[in-house]
Amino acid sequence: MTLVDMVNGTTNVYGLIGSPVVHTLSPLIHNSLNKILNNNNVYVAFDVNARELEDALKGAYALNIQGINVTYPYKEAVMPYLVAIDDYGKQIGAVNTLKKTNEGYIGYNTDAWGLLMSLKEEKIEIENKSILIIGAGGAAKAAAMAIASLSAKKLYISNRTIKRARDLADAVSHYYNLPIELLPLEDINKIDNVDICLQTTSLGMHPQEGQSPINDDDFFHKITSAVDIIYNPWESLFLKKAKKAGCKTVNGFGMLFYQAVKAYEIWTQKEISKENLTALYKSLKNKLML
Ligand code: ATR
C-alpha cells in the first residue's frame, strides 16, 4: 500500500522536530514500523526555528500530533514546555520523545533505552563489567546514565577536556552509586582490563571518516568489546581498529533503531514482537550499508 492509499481522515500524525533534519533516518524507521504493524500513522520531519520552538509545540498539540521525537538542538530546550519527564530524561537532563496526553506532552529519553536494547541484542552484558566511556557530551551522558542504571562494576570516563568528564561523573554520582575514574584522553593507554569501551564523540563521523579519538592501536588490546555511537560510516575508524585487534564491535545503528522502537512503544503502548524487530532491523541494515 502506498502513502496515498493509506493517509485518510483517521491517520494519526507523528513527527520529529530539530534543525537541521534533512539527514534524519527517523521517518524511515517509524514509517517502516507503521507499515509492518499496519498502523494508520504517518511520521514527518519538521525543521523548527529556535525562536518558534514554543509555538511549534503548542501548534503540534493543537493539531493533535500524538508523538514527537526531538533531536539536535532541542533535546534540552523543550523541557520547560512538558507536563512531566521520565527518570532517564531527568537524569540526562534531555528528552528525545514526547507523548501527547490530556494535560500536555510528557517527555522521555529513549536514547538510554536504545543503547541498552542494542547491547542486549548484541549479547553484551553490562552488569558487573568495567566500562570506559570516551567523550563527555550529551551522548556520553545518556550512555553513562544507562550504564550506571544497570549496575556496572566500574565506570571510566575519558575526555579531551577533563572538566567536562568531572561534571559528567558528578551528574552520574548524583543518581547512582558506582565507582567512577576520570582519565584525560592523552592518558587513555594507562587503562587496563576494560570490558566495554563506548565511543560517544562525533570524531570519525561522515564526512570525517579518517578521524578517531584514539589513534594508538595498543589500546584496543586492552578492551573486549568496542561500541561506537556512529553508524555513518557503518564501520568507523575506531571500530575498524578495534576489530583488527580482535574486539567484538557494535556500531550506533542499533542505538538509533532501538531508541525509535522504544519511542514507538511508548506512543502505542504495545510491545513490538521480536520477529518484527529482527526482520525490520535486517532490512534497514541492508538498505543503509549499500
Ligand atoms: P554531543 O552532545 O553530540 O555528545 P558535544 O556535547 O559537543 O556533543 O560533545 C562532543 C564530545 O566530543 C565531547 O566529549 C568533546 O570533547 P570536549 O569535551 O573536550 O570538547 C568530544 N570531541 C569533539 N571533538 C574532539 C576532538 N577533536 N578530539 C577529542 N574529543 C573531541
Side-chain angles (χ1 to χ4, degrees):
M1 218 200 291
T2 66
L3 264 186
V4 174
D5 303 314
M6 205 191 82
V7 176
N8 58 28
T10 63
T11 304
N12 287 312
V13 178
Y14 292 80
L16 169 77
I17 59 173
S19 191
V21 293
V22 272
H23 296 300
T24 179
L25 293 175
S26 293
L28 173 67
I29 301 174
H30 281 277
N31 288 318
S32 300
L33 285 167
N34 289 333
K35 196 169 177 185
I36 57 169
L37 299 171
N38 212 12
N39 284 330
N40 190 1
N41 302 336
V42 288
Y43 183 103
V44 189
F46 299 103
D47 193 322
V48 172
N49 190 303
R51 286 191 314 277
E52 290 164 332
L53 182 62
E54 185 176 6
D55 286 349
L57 290 169
K58 279 190 180 151
Y61 193 84
L63 290 172
N64 208 18
I65 292 184
Q66 300 292 313
I68 303 172
N69 281 137
V70 184
T71 189
Y72 181 84
Y74 301 130
K75 288 184 181 185
E76 295 166 25
V78 294
M79 293 179 81
Y81 308 114
L82 308 178
V83 290
I85 291 163
D86 79 333
D87 285 348
Y88 278 139
K90 282 183 200 145
Q91 292 167 16
I92 297 162
V95 297
N96 72 324
T97 299
L98 313 184
K99 179 183 167 69
K100 188 171 187 270
T101 68
N102 288 338
E103 289 72 41
Y105 284 113
I106 297 182
Y108 300 81
N109 192 308
T110 70
D111 290 329
W113 288 102
L115 176 64
L116 296 180
M117 287 161 83
S118 163
L119 295 180
K120 193 171 174 201
E121 267 317 291
E122 300 288 346
K123 307 208 162 20
I124 294 180
E125 286 181 14
I126 302 295
E127 288 87 351
N128 220 19
K129 294 281 166 36
S130 50
I131 322 260
L132 164 65
I133 291 181
I134 299 172
K141 198 166 184 189
M145 293 298 181
I147 296 301
S149 71
L150 277 200
S151 317
K153 183 167 74 185
K154 180 163 182 178
L155 185 60
Y156 296 90
I157 304 173
S158 185
N159 196 47
R160 178 180 60 180
T161 312
I162 204 69
K163 160 88 172 70
R164 289 189 84 194
R166 193 169 301 118
D167 290 346
L168 176 56
D170 289 346
V172 174
S173 300
H174 185 75
Y175 293 100
Y176 298 101
N177 182 18
L178 87 164
I180 305 179
E181 194 174 317
L182 308 180
L183 206 64
L185 203 48
E186 67 260 29
D187 292 341
I188 195 92
N189 257 346
K190 291 187 181 154
I191 209 157
D192 222 354
N193 277 332
V194 162
D195 296 304
I196 305 161
C197 175
L198 290 164
Q199 197 301 107
T200 72
T201 77
S202 54
L203 285 186
M205 197 184 285
H206 177 76
Q208 286 151 343
E209 277 97 340
Q211 296 189 23
S212 163
I214 294 168
N215 293 299
D216 186 342
D217 293 348
D218 287 346
F219 167 80
F220 295 96
H221 293 285
K222 300 175 179 190
I223 65 174
T224 309
S225 302
V227 181
D228 203 324
I229 59 157
I230 292 172
Y231 52 84
N232 180 16
W234 192 258
E235 192 173 58
S236 63
L237 181 58
F238 172 82
L239 288 188
K240 280 199 177 93
K241 286 171 183 275
K243 193 184 258 179
K244 205 168 154 208
C247 300
K248 178 168 183 158
T249 60
V250 179
N251 79 358
F253 182 66
M255 181 175 174
L256 174 78
F257 179 73
Y258 286 104
Q259 66 73 30
V261 167
K262 184 73 184 174
Y264 199 96
E265 290 181 338
I266 288 169
W267 291 333
T268 58
Q269 289 178 300
K270 280 191 204 117
E271 207 174 308
I272 304 167
S273 75
K274 184 138 172 64
E275 293 73 45
N276 275 333
L277 288 182
T278 308
L280 179 58
Y281 184 92
K282 272 192 193 145
S283 89
L284 292 175
K285 177 178 170 183
N286 286 339
K287 227 178 234 177
L288 296 172
M289 282 180 76
L290 290 176

